[in-house]
Amino acid sequence: MKNQNSPETIKIQDQNFGNHVEHWNLLTDTPETDVPKWLGLALDAPVMPMGLCEDEQDMDQSFWLIQGPKGQSISINQIIAVENQKPRALKTAFPSFESPYKYDAQIERIITCDSATQAVLRLSLNKNTVIYAFDNLFSVNNCQYDQNQTYQVQFNAWAYELESVAENEKIIVDDPASIKHHRALNAILAEHNGVAPENLQELINDWQPKTPEDHEPVTVDFSKMVAYLYGETLGQEDEAWFQ
């Protein structure tokens, strides 16, 4: 039974969440043979987490979430469709691992699929911090989440590709509108101790250059900056580029 205070929920097609191939490729060079073996071993000594559910009757009876050991703190998760208490089909599978990074957060929005087997949550840690995260336990927790409740969440991430940033990797911004935006943003953030005010866009629109330097091109040095760009595809916001 759905919680009446459930966060905003958006449903998309199951395939929009991807097939987790990248995750498996990080763990083995031969996923086509190793992954089926791991899934089978997990069934020999299955762990079925209950998440936030207090009783088995609170859980979605159409799925089983089975976790099994791969070793070295990595767990294999598989979600199995169930009919009349009997397993019928493997819906999806993905690896996960334990993390020491735990925070309190509220769930602002849920992006899930018709099968309710997977979800990406928009989590608010505080008024200035939002995290998009794939929910390992959504298949058991999907009826439990309350938009007014604070939960302890555990964050971890997989790194697909690492490379060094070249020294003096720069771009020159010489478009007048972009120059104004950069200069205005820096000036406004400086005036507000680095915290973006709620009317930031309005202040940027109203800002006017005050010195000749305010009209000069802006140099962005990628070797001396930190940037984070999350995925813009619904269901894949947890995918990110970080420098």
Side-chain angles (χ1 to χ4, degrees), residues 106-123:
Q106 289 187 304
I107 302 173
E108 292 187 339
R109 189 190 68 186
I110 298 170
I111 294 181
T112 184
C113 47
D114 290 332
S115 67
T117 56
Q118 304 183 83
V120 169
L121 309 183
R122 176 185 166 100
L123 301 170

Side-chain angles (χ1 to χ4, degrees), residues 66-129:
I66 295 177
Q67 294 180 335
K70 176 189 178 297
Q72 299 180 343
S73 76
I74 295 177
S75 294
I76 303 301
N77 302 264
Q78 50 187 315
I79 300 176
I80 298 176
V82 176
E83 293 180 12
N84 300 320
Q85 294 298 309
K86 294 182 179 180
R88 294 302 183 190
L90 176 68
K91 298 297 291 185
T92 188
F94 50 87
S96 63
F97 61 93
E98 291 295 315
S99 165
Y101 304 108
K102 298 178 180 179
Y103 298 87
D104 290 337
Q106 289 187 304
I107 302 173
E108 292 187 339
R109 189 190 68 186
I110 298 170
I111 294 181
T112 184
C113 47
D114 290 332
S115 67
T117 56
Q118 304 183 83
V120 169
L121 309 183
R122 176 185 166 100
L123 301 170
S124 173
L125 274 63
N126 53 59
K127 67 177 182 179
N128 297 315
T129 306

Side-chain angles (χ1 to χ4, degrees), residues 69-208:
K70 176 189 178 297
Q72 299 180 343
S73 76
I74 295 177
S75 294
I76 303 301
N77 302 264
Q78 50 187 315
I79 300 176
I80 298 176
V82 176
E83 293 180 12
N84 300 320
Q85 294 298 309
K86 294 182 179 180
R88 294 302 183 190
L90 176 68
K91 298 297 291 185
T92 188
F94 50 87
S96 63
F97 61 93
E98 291 295 315
S99 165
Y101 304 108
K102 298 178 180 179
Y103 298 87
D104 290 337
Q106 289 187 304
I107 302 173
E108 292 187 339
R109 189 190 68 186
I110 298 170
I111 294 181
T112 184
C113 47
D114 290 332
S115 67
T117 56
Q118 304 183 83
V120 169
L121 309 183
R122 176 185 166 100
L123 301 170
S124 173
L125 274 63
N126 53 59
K127 67 177 182 179
N128 297 315
T129 306
V130 170
I131 297 288
Y132 294 90
F134 180 85
D135 185 1
N136 290 347
L137 294 176
F138 186 76
S139 59
V140 295
N141 283 342
N142 66 81
C143 294
Q144 304 298 319
Y145 289 141
D146 190 313
Q147 62 183 341
N148 301 317
Q149 179 69 38
T150 297
Y151 301 96
Q152 185 179 78
V153 297
Q154 181 190 92
F155 290 127
N156 53 43
W158 303 94
Y160 300 141
E161 183 178 346
L162 297 174
E163 62 179 84
S164 299
V165 178
E167 285 294 324
N168 301 315
E169 183 180 332
K170 301 176 181 178
I171 62 169
I172 305 298
V173 179
D174 54 12
D175 173 66
S178 298
I179 292 173
K180 179 179 183 293
H181 179 88
H182 279 278
R183 299 290 186 188
L185 178 61
N186 287 340
I188 293 166
L189 290 178
E191 292 173 0
H192 291 81
N193 299 315
V195 179
E198 293 184 1
N199 62 336
L200 175 62
Q201 189 57 54
E202 181 181 340
L203 293 175
I204 290 176
N205 294 339
D206 294 339
W207 185 87
Q208 295 298 325

Side-chain angles (χ1 to χ4, degrees), residues 206-237:
D206 294 339
W207 185 87
Q208 295 298 325
K210 298 178 178 60
T211 67
E213 288 77 15
D214 288 338
H215 295 278
E216 293 182 357
V218 175
T219 299
V220 180
D221 189 340
F222 285 102
S223 65
K224 294 180 174 63
M225 68 174 288
V226 174
Y228 172 85
L229 298 174
Y230 65 85
E232 295 182 344
T233 302
L234 281 177
Q236 298 178 27
E237 291 96 334

